[in-house]
């Protein structure tokens, strides 16, 4: 019963955060909404015995990704309010259709046996401690793990490159105006 | 149910302890810095001025908390709380003494022992950025914004170095639980040298330096460099909201000192003797003695070093600390590997 | 070994702060201990009286016109013939200094032709209201006994004795005095260290010797 | 220590990598010594590891790492007497040649690079001989081809050297094609390329026809690598490379790879008598053919090159007669005396400032005593004079041919004639070079070579003289040594002592005749003018190159021209352009969808994935 | 009443839908990015719930990889965004339609 109560509370918070994220006019509030959702995700992970993942979730998403978002929001300014009038033809209709389709899919999937059939988590105990996860990570999935290393390195190099060589135009106009 | 009561009692004690310690800490800092500058510092409130912080707190509590015009109200109000909460949460996993046994039940002197304690600590300390960033942004004023942008960049940079500095510790002790790390440091070398993690000297140095930056203390206190950006992120805060920031800063200072002790200086380890009660108390005393030694280091550095320039700060973080940490991780990895699996040709 | 010294160089600063901790402290524990202030300390103003109790101010407004902060407001008025406030034709009817604006430069003291306005060693002037920052003549004018006036004379912060020692009264002669002050050494002024010669005779005695009623210039020389 | 067998291959390869990458930094003498050390260490290891075989140690299979397990090809090494012997020859002779090269290559611009290639060759050759399966052997096979190409065209600024390198490579490719086809057939027949399994099951699995096909294809590979008829043409041209290269690769080691390969796969050849006959015949014909060519050469190295082809013919003949020990024995003795000959020739060339024409030499014995003495030993050895090594090994082959009887007696006769010609042209070479008058340019100042060059000469001379005593008919040391490697193969052996003695006397007599004929023709003052007729044809290699040019190269070029100018332009480009036109038309009609708005793309993505999920759901069942 | 995997799956689906709606309706590139993050997070939730249900650690490993990829994607994406912003002073994706066919 406790679990149900916790789930409902967390789910409510997560959904609120998500809705705030999508609807907020100001991107900072969007970021805060997403942050809330991510925290509740971490709580869900704890409920699902994935302790390591929970901490990593906070560390990576809340600690790094959202900080970066905030930083960029502050850097490029958020003064301009978004114009809500739709300019793309068919976009609104398409969104409605897609939304309806998504709802249909969710309902249909929700009626599948693997969703409704199971009564509780009765499967073998799985504790997502660092040891368990790293055993899998450095045992079976070593190559994938190393690929992520490359991915991150490439991302870092790419970011630096974008930051360094991103503004040729501005420099040119200035040097032309100078004399 | 009993667990719940124990946890609640522990939490209450932890909070009380934390706030008491912070009150003391502010006083200690003011006194020591004063001494270093040939002054006396606060002497009026209470014996030797020990209640000065309390008095200041009362004053701030009763002052009017002004809300300037152009602030984003919700975030402006939330920021001080967001500063305080992670600071307090970190302390929950710090073991302040050896486990004590009363009536057959063992009680650990820490609110909770997470098996991912180190990561938890890192995660929580990275949360501190939000308070500062949001406070600065929501103030709607340029100095706070500058201060908060500086702080966001600074904290992200030094967090990386800090996390890397802890990797050798984890490898060396083979656990990420703080209690486990302290336990692992209970051994001795040659029978008398305590096996503290301070043997991982580069890690220790990097951690301490990153710690200064994470807590926004001198010489990395660019976030609130008065000469350039007035008060930094808390320029527009007054009254009790300002007090919360202040409190969070000092709680962080204490937490970081405590964590240094836990990670590198053996936690509550030390020679224990005498009757049972003394055996309970001595570790706590050791822990606080070591922690306050680190606190003294903080204050000493603040009293001695001038503030760094911003580019120096970032350059130092990215071009010195992180490469050094990475190189040291590799060395430590080899050392740990040899210790665990023997020499490669043996 | 020089390389070793170079290595230690950056850390030498720590020894400096360490040593400083054990040196004697410079703090004066005011208000328990009070420093002797310099003789020419620019403290709060007073409006002085002649030894016979007459006000020195003649309402000439020179101080107001010279004030760089524009904080002095003076209005002169004719002396009532029957009860003259000051020895001359006019006296300072209104005299106010806005202490919140005053910069304590001392120009008013220099400008005053009669040395009516001088500066004391008094510096504890905190007020709880901006209105109180405007010191009126009531506050500025010394007591008949020569004690500077003070809004809160009973607080432990105020050291009247010191004020007496340190006030900026200048010796001057009064063209006329009041009868009740005759022959009384009203206070111990301190314009000159080590006391002052006894007060001059009262006006009526002066009148006996000098009918003109003008101060004798150069008699002190 | 056997577990570290892979170091034998790894060390030279490491040296190659180091020298090719960092050579310039390492500098001139140091890189030579480094390379020599990295060959000497494997040699010492090989010696230590090979000694147990004398006491009848077991064959070792050393597994290094998993490579392509599906086809039975792992990086695993085979250490049996045969591969041990080959490894010893490669590293021993190779090491000496490395040391020799330190002096010989002195002053070359790309000195470190040369040693890098040499090390690469040693590593590749060891891969070839130590391989435990056909795939790894093929890797080594190709790698020696590569390093041979690199070394032949080492002085690539000389157009002839560059052309020679290409020629060697291309001709070798033909042989490699045969080898590769053989490999595929073996895999098709056995499902694995592992030596042990293939040889063990060969008798049961292969039909005679299949065995013949496989072995003939293998033999095509061997003719390419071992310069047999008709693919011998690259070897004379390969003399454009530096002389140590000729000594190491084109005399002592690489060209013997074909012999080694046939010996190794003898179990397959045994099943195909036709192939064996072909092999033996081709070998004998090559021996004779090349010997006749060698007589007519004026270039000292060309003589030795044709001589090499001729001697290789002997070896191939031997393995074709299933006289494997004899073939390997001759391979070994040949490695010593031919390497010695080349090195000594190199020493002469070095002394004569790169003059290679024998007609411009003469009387050098006073100026280069060490070179002279060592070369005389080599001359006697290759000619087959009694107790030197060549005598024993050659006679064993001839004895085997005689023993086999039947029409193989004809092969024996060819061998004997070849021996006569060999004695003749080698004597001619010695006389023209070292005896008689000085015919060289007065500016040349012949001098003895430095000790890094002469010491290897002396060591090789010692072995060229005595190594034959290892396997005399009286005391068959090598035969016993190699026995475990050939235990599954029935070998031909020489007949009884009387016959052997008779045959030996015959060949000795023939050799004496050859030497005397040469002395008669060249050793008495005036040299005969050798031009026109046979001599011109011999200098031209009987015009075989021209023939190949007309018969094979020219039609090939014509076909290529047609393909490039007509087929490619009209047909291939036509298809490609047509596709482009279609794509363009299709694309411009789809352009409308490309709105440039991220969000409409996003909608498309979501709608598409929804469709997929819907389809999966409607299809029923779990995903 | 107990919490089954279906609950988590449903929650994840709803979160995913909200994220998708964000991508389709918002035109501030930053918010679109956040919506994508939300979608990734909801998928992570399904992974971990499935890991619990099946007792397989691979679900958690997959979630970990998703996080890594998300981190890489965010750094590059935001860098591009900043570069675009420097040139155009706008974070509105509707104005970035040069690639129109």
């Amino acid at each position: 019963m406790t679990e149900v109560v916790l789930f409902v509370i967390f789910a409510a918070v997560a959904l609120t955060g998500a809705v705030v994220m999508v609807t907020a006019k100001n991107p900072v509030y969007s970021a805060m909404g997403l942050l809330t959702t991510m925290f509740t995700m971490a709580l869900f992970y704890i409920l699902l015995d994935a302790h390591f993942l929970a901490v990593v979730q906070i560390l990576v998403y809340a600690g790094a990704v959202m900080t970066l978002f905030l930083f960029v929001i502050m850097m490029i300014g958020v003064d301009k309010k978004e114009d809500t009038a739709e300019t793309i033809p068919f976009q609104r209709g398409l969104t409605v259709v897609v939304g309806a389709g998504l709802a249909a899919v969710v309902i249909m999937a929700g009626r599948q046996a693997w969703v409704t059939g199971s009564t509780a988590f009765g499967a073998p105990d799985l504790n997502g401690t660092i040891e368990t996860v790293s055993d899998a990570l450095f045992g079976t999935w070593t190559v994938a793990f190393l690929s992520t290393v490359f991915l991150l390195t490439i991302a870092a190099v790419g970011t630096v490159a974008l930051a360094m060589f991103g503004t040729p135009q501005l420099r040119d106009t200035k040097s032309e105006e100078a004399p | 149910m009993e667990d719940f009561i124990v946890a609640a009692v522990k939490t209450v004690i932890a909070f009380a302890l934390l706030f008491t310690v912070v009150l003391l800490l502010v006083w200690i800092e003011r006194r020591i810095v004063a001494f270093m500058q040939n002054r006396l510092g606060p002497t009026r409130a209470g014996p030797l001025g020990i209640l000065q912080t309390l008095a200041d707190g009362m004053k701030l509590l009763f002052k009017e908390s002004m809300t300037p015009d152009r602030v984003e109200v919700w975030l402006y109000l939330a920021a001080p709380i967001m500063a305080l909460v992670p600071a307090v949460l970190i302390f929950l996993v710090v073991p302040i003494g050896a486990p004590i046994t009363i009536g057959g039940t063992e009680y650990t002197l820490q609110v909770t022992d997470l098996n991912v304690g180190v990561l938890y600590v890192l995660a929580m300390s990275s949360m501190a950025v939000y308070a500062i960033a949001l406070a600065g942004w929501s103030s709607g004023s340029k100095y706070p914004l500058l201060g908060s942008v500086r702080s966001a960049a600074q904290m992200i940079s030094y967090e990386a170095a800090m996390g890397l500095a802890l990797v050798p510790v984890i490898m060396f002790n083979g656990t990420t639980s703080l209690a486990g790390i302290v336990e692992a440091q209970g051994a001795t070398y040659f029978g008398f040298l305590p096996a503290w993690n301070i043997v991982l000297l580069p890690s220790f140095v990097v951690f301490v330096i990153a710690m200064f930056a994470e807590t926004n203390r001198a010489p990395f206190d660019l976030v609130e460099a008065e000469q350039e950006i007035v008060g930094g992120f808390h320029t527009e805060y007054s009254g009790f909201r300002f007090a919360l920031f202040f409190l969070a800063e000092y709680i962080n200072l204490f937490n970081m000192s405590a964590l240094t002790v836990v990670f590198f200086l053996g936690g509550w380890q030390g020679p224990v003797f005498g009757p049972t009660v003394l055996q309970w108390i001595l570790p706590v005393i050791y822990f606080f003695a070591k922690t306050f030694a680190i606190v003294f280091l903080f204050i000493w550095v603040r009293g001695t070093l001038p503030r760094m320039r911003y580019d120096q700060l970032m350059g130092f973080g990215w071009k010195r600390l992180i490469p050094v940490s990475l190189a040291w991780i590799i060395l430590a990895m080899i050392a740990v590997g040899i210790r665990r699996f023997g020499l490669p040709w043996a | 070994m020089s390389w070793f010294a170079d290595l230690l160089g950056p850390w030498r600063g720590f020894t400096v702060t360490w040593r400083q901790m054990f040196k004697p402290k410079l703090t004066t524990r005011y208000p328990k201990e009070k420093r002797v202030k310099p003789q020419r300390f620019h403290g709060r103003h007073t409006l002085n009286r002649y030894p016979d109790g007459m006000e020195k101010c003649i309402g000439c407004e020179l101080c107001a016109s010279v004030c760089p902060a524009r904080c002095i407001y003076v209005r002169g008025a004719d002396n009532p013939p029957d009860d003259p406030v000051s020895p001359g034709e006019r006296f300072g009817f209104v005299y106010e200094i806005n202490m919140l604006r005053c910069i304590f430069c001392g120009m008013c003291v220099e400008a005053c032709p009669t040395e009516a306005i001088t500066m004391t060693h008094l510096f504890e002037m905190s007020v709880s209201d901006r209105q109180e920052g405007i010191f009126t003549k009531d506050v500025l004018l010394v007591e008949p006994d020569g004690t500077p006036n003070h809004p809160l004379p009973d607080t432990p912060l105020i050291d009247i004795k010191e004020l007496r020692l340190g006030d900026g009264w200048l010796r001057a002669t009064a063209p006329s005095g009041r009868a009740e002050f005759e022959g009384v050494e009203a206070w111990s002024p301190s314009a000159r260290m080590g006391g002052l010669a006894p007060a001059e005779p009262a006006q009526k005695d002066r009148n006996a010797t000098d009918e003109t009623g003008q101060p004798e210039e150069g008699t002190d020389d | 220590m056997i577990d570290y067998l892979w170091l034998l291959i790894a060390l030279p390869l490491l040296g190659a990598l180091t020298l090719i990458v960092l050579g310039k930094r390492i500098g001139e003498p140091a890189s030579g010594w480094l390379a020599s050390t990295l060959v000497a260490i494997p040699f010492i290891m090989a010696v230590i590891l090979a000694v147990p075989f004398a006491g009848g140690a077991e064959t070792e299979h050393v597994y290094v790492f998993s490579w392509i397990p599906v086809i039975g090809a792992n990086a695993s090494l085979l250490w049996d007497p045969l591969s041990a012997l080959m490894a010893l020859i490669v590293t021993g002779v190779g090491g000496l040649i490395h040391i020799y090269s330190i002096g010989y290559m002195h002053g070359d611009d790309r000195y470190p690079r040369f040693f890098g290639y040499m090390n690469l060759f040693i590593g590749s050759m060891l891969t070839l001989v130590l391989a435990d399966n056909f795939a790894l052997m093929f890797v080594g096979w190709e790698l020696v081809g590569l390093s041979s190409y690199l070394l032949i065209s080492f002085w690539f600024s000389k157009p002839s050297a560059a052309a020679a390198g290409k020629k060697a490579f291309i001709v070798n490719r033909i042989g490699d094609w045969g080898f590769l086809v053989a490999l595929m057939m073996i895999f098709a027949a056995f499902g694995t390329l592992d030596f042990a399994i293939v040889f063990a099951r060969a008798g049961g699995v292969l039909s005679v026809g299949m065995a013949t096909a496989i072995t003939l294809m293998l033999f095509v590979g061997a003719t390419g690598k071992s310069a047999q008829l008709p693919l011998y043409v690259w070897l004379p041209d390969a003399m454009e490379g530096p002389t140590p290269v000729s000594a190491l690769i084109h005399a002592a080691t690489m060209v013997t790879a074909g012999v080694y390969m046939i010996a190794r796969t003898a179990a397959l050849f045994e099943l195909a008598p036709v192939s064996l006959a072909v092999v033996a015949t081709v070998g004998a014909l090559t021996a004779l053919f090349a010997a006749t060519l060698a007589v007519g050469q004026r270039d000292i190295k060309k003589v030795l090159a044709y001589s090499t082809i001729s001697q290789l013919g002997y070896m191939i003949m031997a393995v074709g007669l299933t006289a494997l020990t004899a073939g390997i024995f001759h391979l070994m003795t040949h490695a010593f005396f031919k390497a010695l000959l080349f090195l000594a020739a190199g020493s002469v060339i070095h002394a004569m400032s790169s003059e290679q024409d024998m007609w411009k030499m003469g009387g050098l014995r006073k100026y280069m005593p060490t070179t002279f003495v060592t070369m005389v030993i080599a001359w006697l050895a290759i000619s087959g004079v009694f107790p030197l090594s060549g005598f024993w090994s050659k006679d064993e082959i001839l004895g085997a041919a005689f023993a086999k009887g039947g029409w193989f007696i004809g092969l024996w006769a060819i061998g004997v004639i070849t021996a006569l010609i060999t004695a003749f042209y080698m004597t001619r070479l010695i006389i023209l070079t070292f005896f008689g008058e000085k015919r060289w340019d007065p500016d040349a100042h012949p001098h003895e070579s430095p000790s890094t060059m002469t010491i290897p000469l002396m060591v090789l001379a010692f072995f060229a003289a005595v190594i034959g005593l290892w396997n005399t008919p009286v005391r068959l040391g090598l035969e016993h040594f190699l026995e475990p490697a050939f235990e599954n193969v029935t070998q031909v052996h020489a007949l009884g002592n009387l016959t052997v003695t008779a045959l030996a006397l015959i060949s000795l007599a023939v050799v004496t005749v050859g030497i005397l004929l040469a002395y008669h023709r060249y050793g008495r003052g005036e040299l005969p003018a050798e031009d026109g007729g046979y001599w011109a044809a011999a200098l031209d290699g009987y015009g075989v190159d021209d023939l190949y040019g007309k018969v094979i190269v020219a039609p090939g070029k014509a076909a290529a021209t047609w393909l490039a100018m007509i087929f490619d332009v009209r047909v291939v480009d036509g298809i490609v352009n047509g596709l482009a036109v279609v794509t363009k038309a299709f694309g411009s009609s789809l352009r409308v969808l490309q709105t440039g708005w991220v969000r409409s793309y996003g909608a498309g993505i979501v709608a598409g994935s929804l469709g997929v999920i819907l389809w999966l759901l409607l299809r029923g069942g779990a995903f | 009443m107990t919490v089954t995997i279906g609950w988590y799956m449903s929650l994840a689906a709803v979160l995913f839908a909200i994220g998708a709606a964000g991508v389709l309706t918002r035109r501030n590139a930053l918010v679109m990015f956040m919506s994508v993050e939300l979608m990734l997070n909801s998928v992570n939730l399904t992974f971990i719930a499935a890991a619990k249900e099946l007792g397989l650690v691979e679900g958690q490993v997959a979630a970990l990889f998703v996080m890594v990829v998300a981190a890489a994607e965010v750094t590059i994406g935001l860098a591009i965004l900043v570069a675009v912003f420097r040139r155009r002073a706008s974070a509105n994706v509707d104005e970035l339609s040069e690639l129109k066919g």
Side-chain angles (χ1 to χ4, degrees), chain D residues 26 38 42 50 57 74 100-101 112 173-174 187 196 224 244 269 286 316 337 344 352 386 394 424 433 441 530 576:
Chain D
I26 294 173
L38 288 178
N74 285 316
Y100 174 89
S101 307
R173 295 303 309 162
I174 300 171
F187 184 69
F269 276 90
T286 308
I316 294 287
F337 61 65
M352 298 295 296
F386 179 66
K394 194 193 296 180
F424 179 81
T433 309
D441 196 9
E530 296 187 334
V576 173

Side-chain angles (χ1 to χ4, degrees), chain C residues 126-174:
Chain C
S126 53
V127 290
S128 52
D129 190 331
R130 294 184 84 83
Q131 197 58 41
E132 288 174 30
I134 299 168
F135 281 28
T136 55
K137 199 173 160 190
D138 299 344
V139 182
L140 290 169
L141 196 62
V142 295
E143 295 293 317
D145 65 349
T147 313
N149 206 339
H150 197 278
L152 296 164
D154 295 332
T155 40
L157 286 175
I158 305 302
D159 187 0
I160 298 292
K161 242 192 255 168
E162 192 206 356
L163 281 176
R164 285 194 178 162
L165 281 173
D167 76 14
W169 187 84
L170 285 174
R171 187 180 170 204
T173 50

